[in-house]
Amino acid sequence: MEKEFFIKNLGECKFDNPRRKHGSVTDDYVPIYVSEEFVKACGNASESDASTLYFQEAGPREKIFFDPQKTKVAIVTCGGLCPGLNDVIRSIVMELWHGYGVRDIVGIPYGLEGFVPEKYGHELLQLTPDFVSTIYMLGGTILGSSRGAQNFDDIANFLYERGINLLFILGGDGTMKAAKAISAAVKEHNLTLSVIGVPKTIDNDINFVEQSFGFATAVDEATKAIAAAHTEAVGMNNGIGIVKLMGRESGFIAAHATVSLSLVNFVLVPEVEFSLYGEGGLLPALEERLIQRHHAVIVVAEGAGQYLMQETGQKDSSGNIILQDIGQYLQKVIKAYFKDRNFPAVIKYIDPSYMVRAVPANADDRVYCGFLGRLAVDAGMCGKTEMVVSKLMGRYVHLPFDIVTRQRRKLDIKSHYWHSVLAATGQGNLKGML
């Protein structure tokens, strides 16, 4: 076992798993329990190959750490909205209640702000199966969310005073770092607390997470915007449709939506620097496209081309650099380029970002969120902590916070996947694409 993949545990598991009692349909029902052995989830087939990696498998254990009748649970959602948040909340509550018999479950309102009621005045939500049964039909999160850090000692005091044993925290890279800090802070208060993360980012850029929940839904919604941009473009002589999609540092949504439709002629992502002018530049290639076909569609991730614009140096409440609007910038330079050449062109700009992230999850994401929520409960009830549940090579596994927050996951522009994107768009002749 690699030391860096070690999963922390609060102590010895002494209680029988009540899953059979609470989750049985018939007296003959026997749950399938998972051992603590590490499983191969990445690497080559050879057992001796140095690239083979082993991870702790996710799933229910025969023995658990917490006594369900005495366990107090809190759930919090942080950061930007993402399809599937309500589905994960619902899955966690249902599994705690029906699978383990836990009855004390609270929702923390509006992200980390909810841990500081003296300052913000947010009231806790009591979560039950009846309360969450239909929330999968809603976008966003019933708990609300917020960005930015809070005082970790205040959070630790809140958890200590209310006797919380198990905290589920749904969020991205920054949230997982905050979760680790919360875990460290509560140790000083002598509170036995398990902190389990469910990694969330619409950008699909979490390290060692093959696909984050909400990504499939985001791609579905993005394709609708692309189809609309294509319709607008072909409806005009020399029509240009520009669609800006989410993706601060990784262009997975833009690339995936592009391949799914094959209506896009140019896709621009943060991983690839491109030029506007000269040989291999976007603008001459766009001009050539219009001369040949009289319409074009451009998809751009929000983090692409930031080096072309003047950075403000300002940061948002989460500490992220505030990005310039690459979509509006492209619209401006394209308009100027064709005006200088007396070349008639019509530009339509679509930014569906907030619509993409605010919709309810699709069927695929709902299934995925259900697995993530249930497996997160299994891990937490066993006293595992400072970890997330992830899917790797077809297996659900446990990953420590340190691994998932180490770096951002990015598109590999040397991969077959990126070459498929280039094949779908025909933009391989642009500078920097290969």
Side-chain angles (χ1 to χ4, degrees):
M1 178 191 72
E2 296 285 344
K3 185 177 180 181
E4 60 183 348
F5 299 127
F6 176 78
I7 302 299
K8 294 182 180 179
N9 203 298
L10 296 176
E12 183 182 355
C13 294
K14 298 180 179 180
F15 296 97
D16 290 333
N17 191 323
R19 174 185 290 267
R20 180 171 183 173
K21 176 181 177 182
H22 292 283
S24 62
V25 177
T26 69
D27 292 338
D28 296 329
Y29 171 75
V30 179
I32 298 176
Y33 295 116
V34 176
S35 73
E36 290 294 281
E37 294 181 3
F38 276 56
V39 297
K40 185 192 308 181
C42 185
N44 296 325
S46 172
E47 294 291 339
S48 61
D49 195 299
S51 67
T52 299
L53 299 179
Y54 293 85
F55 303 86
Q56 190 178 76
E57 188 168 11
R61 269 62 175 174
E62 192 167 0
K63 294 286 185 178
I64 60 176
F65 179 80
F66 290 111
D67 181 351
Q69 295 182 353
K70 299 178 181 179
T71 301
K72 296 184 177 182
V73 179
I75 307 173
V76 64
T77 53
C78 303
L81 298 183
C82 176
L85 281 167
N86 282 333
D87 299 81
V88 176
I89 294 168
R90 181 181 186 274
S91 178
I92 290 173
V93 172
M94 291 297 192
E95 183 66 8
L96 285 167
W97 192 283
H98 295 299
Y100 286 88
V102 176
R103 296 293 182 264
D104 196 342
I105 312 169
V106 297
I108 307 298
Y110 299 107
L112 299 185
E113 289 183 4
F115 290 112
V116 196
E118 299 82 5
K119 181 177 179 180
Y120 296 99
H122 304 319
E123 295 185 4
L124 299 180
L125 296 174
Q126 293 296 321
L127 301 180
T128 65
D130 286 342
F131 188 86
V132 303
S133 62
T134 59
I135 63 174
Y136 67 91
M137 295 187 288
L138 306 173
T141 163
I142 59 163
L143 301 181
S145 187
S146 66
R147 294 186 182 275
Q150 301 295 330
N151 185 286
F152 294 118
D153 286 332
D154 290 342
I155 296 175
N157 286 329
F158 174 95
L159 295 167
Y160 178 77
E161 291 170 0
R162 286 160 180 77
I164 301 297
N165 310 114
L166 180 50
L167 172 63
F168 294 99
I169 185 162
L170 284 58
D173 176 81
T175 301
M176 294 304 122
K177 291 177 181 176
K180 185 178 179 182
I182 292 171
S183 184
V186 298
K187 290 176 183 176
E188 299 179 4
H189 291 72
N190 296 317
L191 175 64
T192 302
L193 176 74
S194 170
V195 183
I196 303 295
V198 181
K200 173 230 70 175
T201 171
I202 202 169
D203 293 349
N204 201 36
D205 62 353
I206 300 179
N207 196 32
F208 272 97
V209 176
E210 283 184 358
Q211 182 169 310
S212 53
F213 74 83
F215 176 71
T217 306
V219 171
D220 275 352
E221 293 301 308
T223 58
K224 297 176 184 177
I226 293 172
H230 179 261
T231 299
E232 290 284 351
V234 298
M236 300 285 181
N237 182 40
N238 297 328
I240 303 169
I242 302 174
V243 180
K244 187 182 78 171
L245 298 174
M246 302 184 81
R248 288 185 60 88
E249 299 181 35
S250 305
F252 287 104
I253 294 179
H256 220 64
T258 292
V259 173
S260 72
L261 274 187
S262 295
L263 294 176
V264 179
N265 308 111
F266 306 96
V267 58
L268 309 172
V269 295
E271 293 88 343
V272 180
E273 289 196 3
F274 61 94
S275 299
L276 291 174
Y277 305 96
E279 185 178 357
L282 172 65
L283 296 177
L286 177 59
E287 181 179 11
E288 182 64 26
R289 164 73 190 183
L290 293 181
I291 291 172
Q292 293 182 0
R293 300 296 302 276
H294 304 291
H295 71 274
V297 175
I298 302 171
V299 170
V300 58
E302 61 181 327
Q306 293 297 307
Y307 49 88
L308 299 172
M309 301 167 285
Q310 185 175 358
E311 294 184 3
T312 64
Q314 297 178 337
K315 295 184 178 181
D316 62 21
S317 56
S318 297
N320 299 313
I321 295 292
I322 296 177
L323 300 177
Q324 299 295 308
D325 192 327
I326 183 62
Q328 290 187 356
Y329 177 79
L330 287 177
Q331 185 180 22
K332 176 182 174 181
V333 297
I334 291 171
K335 182 177 180 180
Y337 179 85
F338 286 110
K339 182 179 180 181
D340 288 344
R341 282 155 179 74
N342 198 27
F343 189 111
V346 180
I347 305 172
K348 302 294 184 179
Y349 174 44
I350 300 175
D351 181 357
S353 299
Y354 291 102
M355 295 178 64
V356 165
R357 73 179 196 172
V359 299
N362 65 14
D364 286 341
D365 268 326
R366 286 203 300 270
V367 171
Y368 188 31
C369 290
F371 275 107
L372 292 175
R374 288 189 293 273
L375 293 171
V377 170
D378 290 331
M381 291 302 293
C382 289
K384 300 184 186 303
T385 189
E386 297 183 23
M387 55 142 283
V388 305
V389 176
S390 175
K391 189 176 184 181
L392 277 176
M393 305 293 285
R395 290 182 178 270
Y396 288 94
V397 297
H398 298 156
L399 293 174
F401 286 152
D402 287 341
I403 290 293
V404 297
T405 60
R406 182 172 297 174
Q407 61 186 17
R408 298 276 189 179
R409 180 169 172 261
K410 296 180 182 293
L411 278 171
D412 179 4
I413 63 171
K414 297 181 180 179
S415 65
H416 289 295
Y417 178 79
W418 178 245
H419 280 261
S420 295
V421 175
L422 299 183
T425 60
Q427 68 184 49
N429 60 331
L430 290 188
K431 186 178 179 181
M433 293 293 148
L434 292 174

